[in-house]
Amino acid sequence: MKIAFIVDPLAGLKAFKDSSVFMMREAAQRGHEVFAFEIKHLEMRQSLVSARVSSLLLSADNHAWYSIKHQAQMALTDFDAVLMRKDPPVDQAYLYSTLLLSMAESQGACIINRGSALRDYNEKLAIAKFPQFTSPTLVTPDMQSVQAFVDEHQDVIIKKLDGMGGTSIFRVRADDVNRNAIVEVQTIEGLSAVMVQRYIPAISQGDKRVLLIDGKPAPFSLARIPKAGETRGNLAAGGKGVAQPLTQRDHEIAEALGPSLKADGLVIVGLDIIGDYLTEVNVTSPTCMVEIFEQTGFNVAGMLMDLLEQRSSF
């Protein structure tokens, strides 16, 4: 098979932990051809969507993990699968790229995850589709509404809708001396909507990443446990990743969401679960595959490649 990955610049990827690199290596080990390109390399000419792609030779050396064999302009329909793995922010350039990917899909290309789904599933707001699994949540730019929510729940998390890796996440208690300033900064003085959620004490046991491939959960999650004095479990914020079997509640949430996510064209999804609550639905470039493999031996990338080898379209 020919498999293309849409990623950030290759030289900036951290091969020792990057899930996209992990998937590339799995594909290459199975004898598939691996290609990569950035969203800036997408092009539409006479309605045909193509990209300037690099054919890659993969290595196990994390310092020199790839070399470029050759480059060419190729239609996205030339590939057996095109994996959209560009990291947020989901900005104008990102959204335009999903429109081109949707057009390529209409021409017969296999796009993972589907462009329309990437547009529809904001990674914070998507939990609103599944309210039975969420803690009390408010989304608004209105500072008075945020303040009232803090008063009601006394201990909350405030986060921007376009953040990733734990950026711009604040825990705010009702008696926090910085409360007003945090609300002002997060909402940009009432101009930008934020998500406010009741604080979930179970974060001390970890913010669990549950990975789904084509609607089916991997058997292990990665619990990202906050470092001392921190409320964020994100690995990028210094959290410690501990792989563990899915709990009964994890299974309940994953199996309830799986069919809907699959139907919407979301093949690779990362659910964030704290305690009993769903907190995010990650669809852009879900991570933690490497950590799960290193600690348990279970290969989530293998789940994906098995799927690609068994099916020619989604």
Side-chain angles (χ1 to χ4, degrees):
M1 294 193 300
K2 295 180 179 178
I3 305 175
F5 291 79
I6 308 175
V7 290
D8 287 304
L10 292 171
L13 300 183
K14 298 177 180 178
F16 71 95
K17 68 173 185 176
D18 190 277
S19 291
S20 295
V21 175
F22 188 61
M23 287 186 279
M24 290 180 192
R25 284 171 165 166
E26 178 68 20
Q29 287 170 4
R30 293 179 180 223
H32 304 307
E33 295 181 72
V34 176
F35 300 80
F37 63 96
E38 300 173 42
I39 60 172
K40 69 180 182 181
H41 298 135
L42 278 167
E43 178 179 295
M44 183 188 72
R45 187 184 296 268
Q46 296 299 107
S47 298
L48 181 66
V49 180
S50 64
R52 182 71 176 175
V53 303
S54 297
S55 175
L56 301 184
L57 179 64
L58 280 297
S59 163
D61 182 349
N62 286 329
H63 298 289
W65 63 272
Y66 74 94
S67 60
I68 296 175
K69 294 192 290 185
H70 60 83
Q71 294 180 315
Q73 193 76 25
M74 297 178 64
L76 298 199
T77 51
D78 290 338
F79 299 100
D80 295 280
V82 178
L83 277 61
M84 175 53 151
R85 296 286 301 176
K86 168 76 176 69
D87 280 345
V90 179
D91 54 15
Q92 189 176 56
Y94 187 101
L95 291 172
Y96 283 152
S97 72
T98 67
L99 292 171
L100 290 174
L101 293 176
S102 291
M103 185 170 294
E105 186 177 10
S106 72
Q107 296 165 356
C110 174
I111 308 297
I112 301 171
N113 288 319
R114 185 176 295 163
S116 59
L118 293 174
R119 294 191 296 276
D120 290 344
Y121 275 76
N122 174 277
E123 298 191 323
K124 306 292 191 295
L125 290 175
I127 64 170
K129 295 176 181 283
F130 314 101
Q132 69 272 35
F133 298 120
T134 63
S135 66
T137 300
L138 169 73
V139 176
T140 182
D142 184 75
M143 291 189 290
Q144 289 186 344
S145 295
V146 174
Q147 295 283 15
F149 192 89
V150 177
D151 287 334
E152 178 183 0
H153 296 285
Q154 295 294 298
D155 195 354
V156 305
I157 294 293
I158 303 178
K159 53 188 175 183
K160 292 182 179 292
L161 297 180
D162 60 353
M164 65 166 290
T167 59
S168 300
I169 294 179
F170 288 86
R171 180 181 179 184
V172 180
R173 298 182 177 88
D175 61 354
D176 193 322
V177 295
N178 294 309
R179 167 179 167 174
N180 292 339
I182 292 172
V183 172
E184 291 166 5
V185 169
Q186 289 289 82
T187 65
I188 313 178
E189 298 282 356
L191 295 176
S192 180
V194 294
M195 175 171 281
V196 194
Q197 295 175 305
R198 185 177 66 190
Y199 176 72
I200 305 170
I203 184 62
S204 61
Q205 281 80 55
D207 178 357
K208 292 174 289 185
R209 169 61 54 82
V210 176
L211 290 166
L212 278 66
I213 300 297
D214 202 33
K216 298 179 181 179
F220 297 93
S221 70
L222 190 77
R224 296 157 298 172
I225 301 171
K227 65 182 180 181
E230 178 63 83
T231 59
R232 301 170 298 172
N234 307 76
L235 301 182
K240 177 184 178 182
V242 178
Q244 57 189 34
L246 298 193
T247 66
Q248 182 177 348
R249 180 63 167 176
D250 296 339
H251 274 291
E252 180 184 358
I253 294 173
E255 290 165 9
L257 271 61
S260 295
L261 299 171
K262 177 180 177 179
D264 285 340
L266 293 167
V267 176
I268 308 173
V269 178
L271 305 179
D272 285 353
I273 299 173
I274 300 176
D276 290 335
Y277 298 102
L278 175 71
T279 60
E280 290 188 17
V281 180
N282 294 270
V283 300
T284 51
S285 53
T287 61
C288 300
M289 293 184 186
V290 174
E291 293 86 354
I292 289 173
F293 178 73
E294 289 179 343
Q295 294 183 39
T296 70
F298 186 83
N299 190 340
V300 182
M303 285 181 69
L304 175 65
M305 292 304 148
D306 288 344
L307 176 70
L308 295 182
E309 291 168 353
Q310 292 165 9
R311 300 172 61 182
S312 59
S313 63
F314 294 82

